[in-house]
Amino acid sequence: MKIKGVDLKDITIRPLPLKFSGVKSVGPIKSIRSVSLRSQRSSRTAGAKSVKGIRFKERDLFLTLFLSGFVLGVLYITMFGKEVVHSTTLMSSYFFSKYERLEFAPEELFLYILKSRLSTFFVLWLTGLTVLGTLASYGYLFWIGASLGITMTTAAMKMGLMGIVLCIACGLPHFILYVPAIYWMLKKICEMSGNQDRKFRQWGNGKKQLFSYFAVGIFGLVLLFAGAFLESYVNPFFLKPFLKKI
């Protein structure tokens, strides 16, 4: 078919690009890339929010485990340990009177405390290099809470309110350093233990994490030395005024 000398077979019909007012035309490849980049950014943002949420819940879990251990220690002594409490001289007026008459050698006490603290520190730190770090941290928190509950309940049964006051005085001033240091250290152990799969898949990122974790261990040792110094050199002289009131 011809229209004024033009054959319609030679005409190629192509759709015109749609244009809307105020909207620029974007090629299909560029639009797909931009959408994929936006989706990646949104997923990273969502992941960061979820990580922050997990960390916040982890703090609550730490406190829950500690308080659960404390309550269990209190219940154990009040229900099953009354006979043991009354038969022992531990945490009694006689025990603290003997403690008051002791002549302390701060150097020997410092070495003893440091040795006992270092063994626990290294075991916990090493578990952070395995998948057992989180479980070890949770167990350690529960054990601390139970030990504190047993100790304070025993002192309260032996000496009443004065026994609780003496237990608090026994933890000063080094517990002011130990409490935030232990929380920070256990948090880092859980983070390192939880990143084992990603660390092995990405060796470059794993080296950075390992170097950072070694820095955490060095800083933890510094805090441990500082706490042992306060516990051996400062606490005995801080505790003696309370012992005189027994």
mmCIF file of all heavy atoms in Angstrom, residues 14-57:
data_model
loop_
_atom_site.group_PDB
_atom_site.id
_atom_site.type_symbol
_atom_site.label_atom_id
_atom_site.label_comp_id
_atom_site.label_asym_id
_atom_site.label_seq_id
_atom_site.Cartn_x
_atom_site.Cartn_y
_atom_site.Cartn_z
ATOM 1 N N ARG A 14 7.771 2.979 16.137
ATOM 2 C CA ARG A 14 8.427 2.873 17.445
ATOM 3 C C ARG A 14 7.632 3.661 18.472
ATOM 4 O O ARG A 14 7.209 4.785 18.197
ATOM 5 C CB ARG A 14 9.859 3.424 17.383
ATOM 6 C CG ARG A 14 10.766 2.607 16.464
ATOM 7 C CD ARG A 14 12.133 3.213 16.440
ATOM 8 N NE ARG A 14 13.011 2.459 15.555
ATOM 9 C CZ ARG A 14 14.283 2.795 15.308
ATOM 10 N NH1 ARG A 14 14.797 3.864 15.885
ATOM 11 N NH2 ARG A 14 15.001 2.055 14.494
ATOM 12 N N PRO A 15 7.443 3.101 19.654
ATOM 13 C CA PRO A 15 6.674 3.838 20.671
ATOM 14 C C PRO A 15 7.491 5.012 21.193
ATOM 15 O O PRO A 15 8.695 4.913 21.416
ATOM 16 C CB PRO A 15 6.440 2.794 21.773
ATOM 17 C CG PRO A 15 7.549 1.814 21.591
ATOM 18 C CD PRO A 15 7.851 1.773 20.122
ATOM 19 N N LEU A 16 6.838 6.106 21.377
ATOM 20 C CA LEU A 16 7.496 7.294 21.916
ATOM 21 C C LEU A 16 7.643 7.149 23.427
ATOM 22 O O LEU A 16 6.782 6.576 24.095
ATOM 23 C CB LEU A 16 6.665 8.549 21.593
ATOM 24 C CG LEU A 16 6.547 8.900 20.107
ATOM 25 C CD1 LEU A 16 5.593 10.074 19.917
ATOM 26 C CD2 LEU A 16 7.907 9.225 19.526
ATOM 27 N N PRO A 17 8.760 7.645 23.983
ATOM 28 C CA PRO A 17 8.912 7.587 25.458
ATOM 29 C C PRO A 17 7.881 8.458 26.139
ATOM 30 O O PRO A 17 7.605 9.578 25.690
ATOM 31 C CB PRO A 17 10.337 8.097 25.676
ATOM 32 C CG PRO A 17 10.631 8.925 24.484
ATOM 33 C CD PRO A 17 9.906 8.296 23.332
ATOM 34 N N LEU A 18 7.326 7.911 27.221
ATOM 35 C CA LEU A 18 6.325 8.684 27.957
ATOM 36 C C LEU A 18 7.016 9.739 28.802
ATOM 37 O O LEU A 18 8.006 9.493 29.461
ATOM 38 C CB LEU A 18 5.512 7.750 28.858
ATOM 39 C CG LEU A 18 4.656 6.708 28.119
ATOM 40 C CD1 LEU A 18 3.957 5.802 29.131
ATOM 41 C CD2 LEU A 18 3.631 7.386 27.224
ATOM 42 N N LYS A 19 6.501 10.902 28.824
ATOM 43 C CA LYS A 19 7.041 12.004 29.607
ATOM 44 C C LYS A 19 5.928 12.582 30.452
ATOM 45 O O LYS A 19 4.831 12.845 29.960
ATOM 46 C CB LYS A 19 7.635 13.081 28.701
ATOM 47 C CG LYS A 19 8.883 12.637 27.953
ATOM 48 C CD LYS A 19 9.472 13.778 27.178
ATOM 49 C CE LYS A 19 10.742 13.357 26.447
ATOM 50 N NZ LYS A 19 11.345 14.493 25.689
ATOM 51 N N PHE A 20 6.251 12.747 31.710
ATOM 52 C CA PHE A 20 5.295 13.370 32.616
ATOM 53 C C PHE A 20 5.877 14.700 33.062
ATOM 54 O O PHE A 20 7.091 14.886 33.146
ATOM 55 C CB PHE A 20 5.050 12.480 33.854
ATOM 56 C CG PHE A 20 4.462 11.145 33.496
ATOM 57 C CD1 PHE A 20 5.302 10.045 33.298
ATOM 58 C CD2 PHE A 20 3.105 10.985 33.338
ATOM 59 C CE1 PHE A 20 4.787 8.823 32.962
ATOM 60 C CE2 PHE A 20 2.583 9.754 33.013
ATOM 61 C CZ PHE A 20 3.415 8.673 32.826
ATOM 62 N N SER A 21 5.002 15.581 33.360
ATOM 63 C CA SER A 21 5.438 16.922 33.763
ATOM 64 C C SER A 21 6.152 16.849 35.099
ATOM 65 O O SER A 21 5.630 16.303 36.058
ATOM 66 C CB SER A 21 4.226 17.865 33.894
ATOM 67 O OG SER A 21 3.298 17.357 34.822
ATOM 68 N N GLY A 22 7.347 17.437 35.184
ATOM 69 C CA GLY A 22 8.115 17.472 36.429
ATOM 70 C C GLY A 22 8.890 16.224 36.718
ATOM 71 O O GLY A 22 9.531 16.110 37.750
ATOM 72 N N VAL A 23 8.855 15.203 35.807
ATOM 73 C CA VAL A 23 9.581 13.953 36.021
ATOM 74 C C VAL A 23 10.543 13.741 34.872
ATOM 75 O O VAL A 23 10.142 13.759 33.708
ATOM 76 C CB VAL A 23 8.617 12.754 36.126
ATOM 77 C CG1 VAL A 23 9.396 11.466 36.342
ATOM 78 C CG2 VAL A 23 7.613 12.982 37.235
ATOM 79 N N LYS A 24 11.813 13.530 35.210
ATOM 80 C CA LYS A 24 12.823 13.293 34.188
ATOM 81 C C LYS A 24 12.831 11.833 33.794
ATOM 82 O O LYS A 24 12.671 10.960 34.634
ATOM 83 C CB LYS A 24 14.216 13.703 34.695
ATOM 84 C CG LYS A 24 14.319 15.182 35.001
ATOM 85 C CD LYS A 24 15.715 15.524 35.482
ATOM 86 C CE LYS A 24 15.833 17.011 35.779
ATOM 87 N NZ LYS A 24 17.182 17.365 36.264
ATOM 88 N N SER A 25 13.059 11.605 32.526
ATOM 89 C CA SER A 25 13.133 10.220 32.056
ATOM 90 C C SER A 25 14.445 9.599 32.469
ATOM 91 O O SER A 25 15.506 10.205 32.361
ATOM 92 C CB SER A 25 13.022 10.190 30.524
ATOM 93 O OG SER A 25 14.071 10.930 29.945
ATOM 94 N N VAL A 26 14.348 8.371 32.969
ATOM 95 C CA VAL A 26 15.525 7.654 33.465
ATOM 96 C C VAL A 26 15.624 6.337 32.717
ATOM 97 O O VAL A 26 14.614 5.641 32.535
ATOM 98 C CB VAL A 26 15.429 7.394 34.980
ATOM 99 C CG1 VAL A 26 16.675 6.672 35.461
ATOM 100 C CG2 VAL A 26 15.255 8.707 35.711
ATOM 101 N N GLY A 27 16.813 5.981 32.261
ATOM 102 C CA GLY A 27 17.004 4.730 31.541
ATOM 103 C C GLY A 27 16.689 3.546 32.415
ATOM 104 O O GLY A 27 16.800 3.615 33.644
ATOM 105 N N PRO A 28 16.307 2.440 31.859
ATOM 106 C CA PRO A 28 15.925 1.265 32.657
ATOM 107 C C PRO A 28 17.068 0.672 33.455
ATOM 108 O O PRO A 28 16.910 0.257 34.567
ATOM 109 C CB PRO A 28 15.404 0.283 31.609
ATOM 110 C CG PRO A 28 16.064 0.709 30.328
ATOM 111 C CD PRO A 28 16.173 2.200 30.420
ATOM 112 N N ILE A 29 18.290 0.663 32.887
ATOM 113 C CA ILE A 29 19.423 0.076 33.597
ATOM 114 C C ILE A 29 19.780 0.912 34.813
ATOM 115 O O ILE A 29 20.021 0.412 35.894
ATOM 116 C CB ILE A 29 20.630 -0.058 32.645
ATOM 117 C CG1 ILE A 29 20.298 -1.006 31.501
ATOM 118 C CG2 ILE A 29 21.850 -0.548 33.396
ATOM 119 C CD1 ILE A 29 21.396 -1.134 30.471
ATOM 120 N N LYS A 30 19.781 2.236 34.612
ATOM 121 C CA LYS A 30 20.143 3.115 35.726
ATOM 122 C C LYS A 30 19.112 3.024 36.844
ATOM 123 O O LYS A 30 19.438 3.060 38.026
ATOM 124 C CB LYS A 30 20.265 4.548 35.221
ATOM 125 C CG LYS A 30 20.798 5.511 36.269
ATOM 126 C CD LYS A 30 20.969 6.915 35.707
ATOM 127 C CE LYS A 30 22.119 6.970 34.737
ATOM 128 N NZ LYS A 30 22.388 8.368 34.290
ATOM 129 N N SER A 31 17.836 2.937 36.487
ATOM 130 C CA SER A 31 16.799 2.866 37.505
ATOM 131 C C SER A 31 16.914 1.572 38.309
ATOM 132 O O SER A 31 16.726 1.562 39.514
ATOM 133 C CB SER A 31 15.415 2.970 36.863
ATOM 134 O OG SER A 31 15.210 1.872 35.975
ATOM 135 N N ILE A 32 17.237 0.471 37.642
ATOM 136 C CA ILE A 32 17.389 -0.806 38.357
ATOM 137 C C ILE A 32 18.558 -0.741 39.321
ATOM 138 O O ILE A 32 18.490 -1.199 40.458
ATOM 139 C CB ILE A 32 17.577 -1.950 37.345
ATOM 140 C CG1 ILE A 32 16.291 -2.156 36.547
ATOM 141 C CG2 ILE A 32 17.974 -3.241 38.048
ATOM 142 C CD1 ILE A 32 16.431 -3.153 35.426
ATOM 143 N N ARG A 33 19.664 -0.147 38.906
ATOM 144 C CA ARG A 33 20.826 -0.026 39.789
ATOM 145 C C ARG A 33 20.505 0.843 40.997
ATOM 146 O O ARG A 33 20.900 0.550 42.118
ATOM 147 C CB ARG A 33 22.000 0.566 39.012
ATOM 148 C CG ARG A 33 22.603 -0.395 37.993
ATOM 149 C CD ARG A 33 23.748 0.255 37.263
ATOM 150 N NE ARG A 33 24.348 -0.660 36.296
ATOM 151 C CZ ARG A 33 25.334 -0.316 35.476
ATOM 152 N NH1 ARG A 33 25.833 0.918 35.516
ATOM 153 N NH2 ARG A 33 25.821 -1.201 34.619
ATOM 154 N N SER A 34 19.811 1.956 40.739
ATOM 155 C CA SER A 34 19.491 2.840 41.857
ATOM 156 C C SER A 34 18.573 2.156 42.860
ATOM 157 O O SER A 34 18.723 2.303 44.072
ATOM 158 C CB SER A 34 18.831 4.122 41.335
ATOM 159 O OG SER A 34 17.611 3.811 40.666
ATOM 160 N N VAL A 35 17.610 1.372 42.332
ATOM 161 C CA VAL A 35 16.708 0.655 43.238
ATOM 162 C C VAL A 35 17.459 -0.375 44.056
ATOM 163 O O VAL A 35 17.239 -0.538 45.263
ATOM 164 C CB VAL A 35 15.572 -0.014 42.432
ATOM 165 C CG1 VAL A 35 14.765 -0.947 43.326
ATOM 166 C CG2 VAL A 35 14.666 1.039 41.820
ATOM 167 N N SER A 36 18.414 -1.096 43.401
ATOM 168 C CA SER A 36 19.185 -2.104 44.132
ATOM 169 C C SER A 36 20.067 -1.466 45.193
ATOM 170 O O SER A 36 20.209 -1.989 46.298
ATOM 171 C CB SER A 36 20.042 -2.918 43.156
ATOM 172 O OG SER A 36 20.971 -2.079 42.507
ATOM 173 N N LEU A 37 20.675 -0.315 44.862
ATOM 174 C CA LEU A 37 21.506 0.374 45.847
ATOM 175 C C LEU A 37 20.679 0.850 47.025
ATOM 176 O O LEU A 37 21.097 0.763 48.178
ATOM 177 C CB LEU A 37 22.226 1.564 45.186
ATOM 178 C CG LEU A 37 23.361 1.211 44.217
ATOM 179 C CD1 LEU A 37 23.885 2.472 43.538
ATOM 180 C CD2 LEU A 37 24.486 0.501 44.945
ATOM 181 N N ARG A 38 19.487 1.374 46.731
ATOM 182 C CA ARG A 38 18.629 1.823 47.816
ATOM 183 C C ARG A 38 18.194 0.668 48.708
ATOM 184 O O ARG A 38 18.110 0.797 49.925
ATOM 185 C CB ARG A 38 17.400 2.522 47.237
ATOM 186 C CG ARG A 38 17.712 3.889 46.633
ATOM 187 C CD ARG A 38 16.482 4.476 45.978
ATOM 188 N NE ARG A 38 16.797 5.731 45.318
ATOM 189 C CZ ARG A 38 15.922 6.419 44.565
ATOM 190 N NH1 ARG A 38 14.697 5.940 44.383
ATOM 191 N NH2 ARG A 38 16.288 7.556 43.995
ATOM 192 N N SER A 39 17.894 -0.475 48.071
ATOM 193 C CA SER A 39 17.502 -1.643 48.864
ATOM 194 C C SER A 39 18.640 -2.130 49.747
ATOM 195 O O SER A 39 18.426 -2.537 50.891
ATOM 196 C CB SER A 39 17.035 -2.770 47.939
ATOM 197 O OG SER A 39 18.099 -3.194 47.113
ATOM 198 N N GLN A 40 19.884 -2.073 49.214
ATOM 199 C CA GLN A 40 21.034 -2.482 50.027
ATOM 200 C C GLN A 40 21.229 -1.546 51.202
ATOM 201 O O GLN A 40 21.496 -1.971 52.327
ATOM 202 C CB GLN A 40 22.296 -2.501 49.162
ATOM 203 C CG GLN A 40 22.338 -3.654 48.163
ATOM 204 C CD GLN A 40 23.572 -3.600 47.293
ATOM 205 O OE1 GLN A 40 24.423 -2.725 47.467
ATOM 206 N NE2 GLN A 40 23.669 -4.532 46.352
ATOM 207 N N ARG A 41 21.084 -0.229 50.941
ATOM 208 C CA ARG A 41 21.245 0.725 52.044
ATOM 209 C C ARG A 41 20.174 0.549 53.099
ATOM 210 O O ARG A 41 20.440 0.630 54.291
ATOM 211 C CB ARG A 41 21.198 2.150 51.481
ATOM 212 C CG ARG A 41 22.425 2.502 50.639
ATOM 213 C CD ARG A 41 22.247 3.859 50.002
ATOM 214 N NE ARG A 41 23.381 4.190 49.132
ATOM 215 C CZ ARG A 41 23.429 5.276 48.347
ATOM 216 N NH1 ARG A 41 22.396 6.116 48.313
ATOM 217 N NH2 ARG A 41 24.492 5.494 47.600
ATOM 218 N N SER A 42 18.932 0.333 52.621
ATOM 219 C CA SER A 42 17.853 0.141 53.592
ATOM 220 C C SER A 42 18.053 -1.125 54.414
ATOM 221 O O SER A 42 17.771 -1.170 55.603
ATOM 222 C CB SER A 42 16.509 0.074 52.868
ATOM 223 O OG SER A 42 16.482 -1.030 51.985
ATOM 224 N N SER A 43 18.566 -2.198 53.754
ATOM 225 C CA SER A 43 18.821 -3.439 54.498
ATOM 226 C C SER A 43 19.932 -3.255 55.509
ATOM 227 O O SER A 43 19.875 -3.785 56.613
ATOM 228 C CB SER A 43 19.176 -4.565 53.525
ATOM 229 O OG SER A 43 20.381 -4.272 52.836
ATOM 230 N N ARG A 44 20.981 -2.479 55.140
ATOM 231 C CA ARG A 44 22.054 -2.218 56.100
ATOM 232 C C ARG A 44 21.536 -1.430 57.288
ATOM 233 O O ARG A 44 21.896 -1.681 58.439
ATOM 234 C CB ARG A 44 23.177 -1.453 55.413
ATOM 235 C CG ARG A 44 23.984 -2.294 54.419
ATOM 236 C CD ARG A 44 25.011 -1.434 53.715
ATOM 237 N NE ARG A 44 25.727 -2.204 52.705
ATOM 238 C CZ ARG A 44 26.612 -1.673 51.868
ATOM 239 N NH1 ARG A 44 26.888 -0.382 51.932
ATOM 240 N NH2 ARG A 44 27.217 -2.438 50.982
ATOM 241 N N THR A 45 20.679 -0.427 57.000
ATOM 242 C CA THR A 45 20.108 0.367 58.086
ATOM 243 C C THR A 45 19.250 -0.491 59.004
ATOM 244 O O THR A 45 19.309 -0.387 60.226
ATOM 245 C CB THR A 45 19.265 1.511 57.502
ATOM 246 O OG1 THR A 45 20.067 2.255 56.592
ATOM 247 C CG2 THR A 45 18.764 2.422 58.607
ATOM 248 N N ALA A 46 18.438 -1.361 58.389
ATOM 249 C CA ALA A 46 17.611 -2.252 59.201
ATOM 250 C C ALA A 46 18.470 -3.185 60.038
ATOM 251 O O ALA A 46 18.183 -3.461 61.194
ATOM 252 C CB ALA A 46 16.676 -3.067 58.306
ATOM 253 N N GLY A 47 19.576 -3.680 59.451
ATOM 254 C CA GLY A 47 20.474 -4.550 60.213
ATOM 255 C C GLY A 47 21.112 -3.831 61.373
ATOM 256 O O GLY A 47 21.262 -4.374 62.457
ATOM 257 N N ALA A 48 21.497 -2.557 61.150
ATOM 258 C CA ALA A 48 22.094 -1.788 62.237
ATOM 259 C C ALA A 48 21.095 -1.588 63.358
ATOM 260 O O ALA A 48 21.422 -1.684 64.535
ATOM 261 C CB ALA A 48 22.576 -0.430 61.709
ATOM 262 N N LYS A 49 19.842 -1.325 63.002
ATOM 263 C CA LYS A 49 18.828 -1.160 64.036
ATOM 264 C C LYS A 49 18.613 -2.456 64.801
ATOM 265 O O LYS A 49 18.453 -2.449 66.001
ATOM 266 C CB LYS A 49 17.511 -0.697 63.396
ATOM 267 C CG LYS A 49 17.554 0.727 62.866
ATOM 268 C CD LYS A 49 16.215 1.123 62.270
ATOM 269 C CE LYS A 49 16.258 2.551 61.737
ATOM 270 N NZ LYS A 49 14.958 2.934 61.114
ATOM 271 N N SER A 50 18.619 -3.572 64.068
ATOM 272 C CA SER A 50 18.427 -4.854 64.749
ATOM 273 C C SER A 50 19.606 -5.171 65.665
ATOM 274 O O SER A 50 19.431 -5.692 66.750
ATOM 275 C CB SER A 50 18.250 -5.976 63.724
ATOM 276 O OG SER A 50 19.432 -6.147 62.963
ATOM 277 N N VAL A 51 20.833 -4.824 65.229
ATOM 278 C CA VAL A 51 22.002 -5.056 66.083
ATOM 279 C C VAL A 51 21.917 -4.227 67.349
ATOM 280 O O VAL A 51 22.180 -4.683 68.455
ATOM 281 C CB VAL A 51 23.298 -4.743 65.300
ATOM 282 C CG1 VAL A 51 24.489 -4.750 66.245
ATOM 283 C CG2 VAL A 51 23.512 -5.769 64.200
ATOM 284 N N LYS A 52 21.499 -2.962 67.188
ATOM 285 C CA LYS A 52 21.358 -2.114 68.372
ATOM 286 C C LYS A 52 20.293 -2.681 69.293
ATOM 287 O O LYS A 52 20.428 -2.676 70.505
ATOM 288 C CB LYS A 52 20.996 -0.698 67.947
ATOM 289 C CG LYS A 52 22.145 0.041 67.265
ATOM 290 C CD LYS A 52 21.729 1.447 66.902
ATOM 291 C CE LYS A 52 22.870 2.187 66.200
ATOM 292 N NZ LYS A 52 22.474 3.562 65.798
ATOM 293 N N GLY A 53 19.200 -3.184 68.710
ATOM 294 C CA GLY A 53 18.162 -3.779 69.544
ATOM 295 C C GLY A 53 18.655 -4.993 70.292
ATOM 296 O O GLY A 53 18.338 -5.193 71.456
ATOM 297 N N ILE A 54 19.491 -5.813 69.648
ATOM 298 C CA ILE A 54 20.041 -6.998 70.298
ATOM 299 C C ILE A 54 20.962 -6.598 71.435
ATOM 300 O O ILE A 54 20.947 -7.175 72.504
ATOM 301 C CB ILE A 54 20.788 -7.867 69.261
ATOM 302 C CG1 ILE A 54 19.778 -8.504 68.301
ATOM 303 C CG2 ILE A 54 21.597 -8.964 69.952
ATOM 304 C CD1 ILE A 54 20.421 -9.218 67.137
ATOM 305 N N ARG A 55 21.759 -5.567 71.221
ATOM 306 C CA ARG A 55 22.663 -5.119 72.279
ATOM 307 C C ARG A 55 21.886 -4.592 73.477
ATOM 308 O O ARG A 55 22.241 -4.820 74.614
ATOM 309 C CB ARG A 55 23.590 -4.030 71.730
ATOM 310 C CG ARG A 55 24.647 -4.569 70.770
ATOM 311 C CD ARG A 55 25.504 -3.464 70.223
ATOM 312 N NE ARG A 55 26.491 -3.978 69.287
ATOM 313 C CZ ARG A 55 27.292 -3.222 68.576
ATOM 314 N NH1 ARG A 55 27.219 -1.897 68.676
ATOM 315 N NH2 ARG A 55 28.161 -3.759 67.751
ATOM 316 N N PHE A 56 20.804 -3.880 73.209
ATOM 317 C CA PHE A 56 19.998 -3.377 74.310
ATOM 318 C C PHE A 56 19.360 -4.528 75.083
ATOM 319 O O PHE A 56 19.332 -4.539 76.299
ATOM 320 C CB PHE A 56 18.925 -2.437 73.762
ATOM 321 C CG PHE A 56 18.034 -1.865 74.817
ATOM 322 C CD1 PHE A 56 18.481 -0.846 75.637
ATOM 323 C CD2 PHE A 56 16.750 -2.349 75.009
ATOM 324 C CE1 PHE A 56 17.666 -0.312 76.625
ATOM 325 C CE2 PHE A 56 15.925 -1.831 75.984
ATOM 326 C CZ PHE A 56 16.382 -0.797 76.793
ATOM 327 N N LYS A 57 18.866 -5.542 74.370
ATOM 328 C CA LYS A 57 18.286 -6.702 75.020
ATOM 329 C C LYS A 57 19.359 -7.494 75.759
ATOM 330 O O LYS A 57 19.086 -8.110 76.775
ATOM 331 C CB LYS A 57 17.600 -7.584 73.984
ATOM 332 C CG LYS A 57 16.358 -6.956 73.371
ATOM 333 C CD LYS A 57 15.737 -7.870 72.340
ATOM 334 C CE LYS A 57 14.510 -7.224 71.699
ATOM 335 N NZ LYS A 57 13.914 -8.094 70.650
#
